[in-house]
Amino acid sequence: MKDKIGYFSRRIIECILALIDVVPSLIVTFNPLLFVMFIPVGVYAILTWPWTLLKDIPDPFHSGESLYWLTYAIILDRDNILFPTLFRWGLIDLFLLASGLAIFLISFISWMINLRKDGGLITSGAYRFSRHPQYLGIILLSLGITIRSLRPISLIAWITLLIGYLILASLEERNLFKVYGQKYEEYARQTAFLIPHLRFNFPKWLSAEKPYRYILLMLVWVILVISVVISTRNIVVALRSLAYLKMILLYNDAANLMET
C-alpha cells in the first residue's frame, strides 16, 4: 500500500513539475503579442491570393481595363538561375527565404527564452545587431516568397507588410522608451533599428512618440502602391507577350522539323 501511495505521489509531483515547465511555454505560444506580430503576415497572405474580384475593379490608371492583371505571373528567362521561373526557385529568392527564416527562428527562440526567465529588455543574441530581428526575418522571408510568386499583387502585398512592420516596430519602441527609459535609449544608440550596422537617428519630429512618423509611413505606402500599379502593368504584359511569342516560335520550329 505504501509503495502504491509513494508511486502515485511521485507521479503527481512529476505532473506538477511538467506543468510548471510547460505552462510558461503555453503562455509564450498564446501570448497576445504573437497575434499582433503576425497581423501583417495575415494581410500579406490575403493580398497575395489571386482574387477574381479584381476582374470587377477598374484600373484607375489604364482605362478600359480591370486590376486583374495584378495577378498575372511575370514570366522571366528560364535560363537565369538567379531568378525563379514558374517551375523552380531562383538563387536570390531561395537565399532570402532561407536567411529570413533563420533570422526569425534564432531571434524568436531568444525572445522565448528571455520571456520565460524574466521578460526584461533583451539585448543579446540576434538583438545585439537589430532591435527588431524577428521583423527583419519575416520581411526577408516574405521578400523571397514575393520574388518567387512573380506577381505584381505580391509586390504590393510585400510593401504593405514592410510598412506594417515598420509601424509595428515604431509602436513597440514608443512603449519600450516609456518602460526602460535611459536604458533603452542607450541600447537604441548602439543597435540598428532593423538592418544590422545600419544605424539611423530619426529627427525628433519623426520619433516614435510623434504621429508624424506613422503619417509619413502611410504616405510612403500609398506612393509605392500607386507606383507599382502605374509602372508594372506594361512590363508584365510585355514579358508575357514575349514569352508567348517564344513559345509560338518554338512550336512552329518543331512543327516544321516534323514536316521535313
Side-chain angles (χ1 to χ4, degrees), residues 102-122:
I103 292 171
F104 173 76
L105 290 177
I106 292 171
S107 55
F108 185 73
I109 291 172
S110 299
W111 178 70
M112 287 183 63
I113 293 173
N114 179 73
L115 192 60
R116 290 185 60 180
K117 287 181 178 179
D118 55 10
L121 179 64
I122 177 171

Side-chain angles (χ1 to χ4, degrees), residues 164-196:
Y165 277 119
L166 290 177
I167 291 175
L168 195 57
S170 299
L171 290 172
E172 285 185 8
E173 295 221 325
R174 184 175 65 177
N175 182 60
L176 290 169
F177 276 116
K178 291 180 180 178
V179 173
Y180 296 104
Q182 186 65 32
K183 185 178 180 181
Y184 192 81
E185 289 181 11
E186 183 65 25
Y187 170 63
R189 280 195 295 268
Q190 298 176 356
T191 310
F193 177 76
L194 193 66
I195 302 175

Side-chain angles (χ1 to χ4, degrees), residues 1 4 9 82 86 108 117 132 139 170 199:
M1 185 67 178
K4 289 184 178 180
S9 299
L82 293 178
L86 293 175
F108 185 73
K117 287 181 178 179
H132 305 280
I139 289 169
S170 299
R199 287 191 287 272

Side-chain angles (χ1 to χ4, degrees), residues 1-258:
M1 185 67 178
K2 290 182 179 180
D3 292 338
K4 289 184 178 180
I5 294 174
Y7 173 79
F8 285 112
S9 299
R10 287 194 298 272
R11 288 297 183 185
I12 292 172
I13 293 173
E14 288 174 359
C15 290
I16 293 173
L17 292 175
L19 285 173
I20 292 173
D21 184 64
V22 170
V23 167
S25 298
L26 293 176
I27 293 173
V28 170
T29 303
F30 295 101
N31 193 302
L33 288 175
L34 289 180
F35 295 100
V36 175
M37 181 172 68
F38 288 112
I39 286 176
V41 176
V43 175
Y44 176 88
I46 292 172
L47 290 176
T48 51
W49 189 266
W51 295 106
T52 55
L53 179 65
L54 291 174
K55 290 182 177 180
D56 301 322
I57 301 178
D59 188 334
F61 304 104
H62 304 95
S63 60
E65 297 188 23
S66 70
L67 287 175
Y68 192 68
W69 65 267
L70 289 170
T71 66
Y72 291 171
I74 302 173
I75 302 175
L76 300 175
D77 185 1
R78 65 182 63 186
D79 296 326
N80 190 342
I81 63 173
L82 293 178
F83 294 97
T85 67
L86 293 175
F87 308 104
R88 64 163 174 79
W89 288 76
L91 294 181
I92 292 178
D93 47 310
L94 194 59
F95 171 77
L96 289 170
L97 178 70
S99 59
L101 182 61
I103 292 171
F104 173 76
L105 290 177
I106 292 171
S107 55
F108 185 73
I109 291 172
S110 299
W111 178 70
M112 287 183 63
I113 293 173
N114 179 73
L115 192 60
R116 290 185 60 180
K117 287 181 178 179
D118 55 10
L121 179 64
I122 177 171
T123 59
S124 59
Y127 289 84
R128 291 173 52 199
F129 308 100
S130 172
R131 305 204 296 271
H132 305 280
Q134 293 184 54
Y135 297 164
L136 175 62
I138 294 174
I139 289 169
L140 292 177
L141 186 154
S142 60
L143 180 57
I145 296 174
T146 298
I147 296 174
R148 174 66 183 89
S149 69
L150 302 169
R151 301 175 192 276
I153 191 67
S154 298
L155 180 57
I156 292 176
W158 183 79
I159 292 171
T160 304
L161 179 140
L162 174 64
I163 298 298
Y165 277 119
L166 290 177
I167 291 175
L168 195 57
S170 299
L171 290 172
E172 285 185 8
E173 295 221 325
R174 184 175 65 177
N175 182 60
L176 290 169
F177 276 116
K178 291 180 180 178
V179 173
Y180 296 104
Q182 186 65 32
K183 185 178 180 181
Y184 192 81
E185 289 181 11
E186 183 65 25
Y187 170 63
R189 280 195 295 268
Q190 298 176 356
T191 310
F193 177 76
L194 193 66
I195 302 175
H197 307 297
L198 184 61
R199 287 191 287 272
F200 176 77
N201 295 322
F202 290 98
K204 289 185 177 180
W205 67 277
L206 278 179
S207 64
E209 293 81 10
K210 304 290 184 179
Y212 306 112
R213 179 189 293 193
Y214 309 99
I215 295 173
L216 180 62
L217 286 172
M218 291 303 300
L219 182 61
V220 169
W221 176 79
V222 171
I223 293 173
L224 290 176
V225 169
I226 291 176
S227 299
V228 170
V229 174
I230 292 176
S231 62
T232 59
R233 186 263 176 194
N234 292 335
I235 297 174
V236 171
V237 174
L239 288 174
R240 286 172 65 89
S241 300
L242 181 61
Y244 289 140
L245 179 60
K246 288 182 178 180
M247 291 175 60
I248 292 172
L249 291 175
L250 288 174
Y251 176 79
N252 290 336
D253 290 342
N256 293 332
L257 185 61
M258 291 178 64

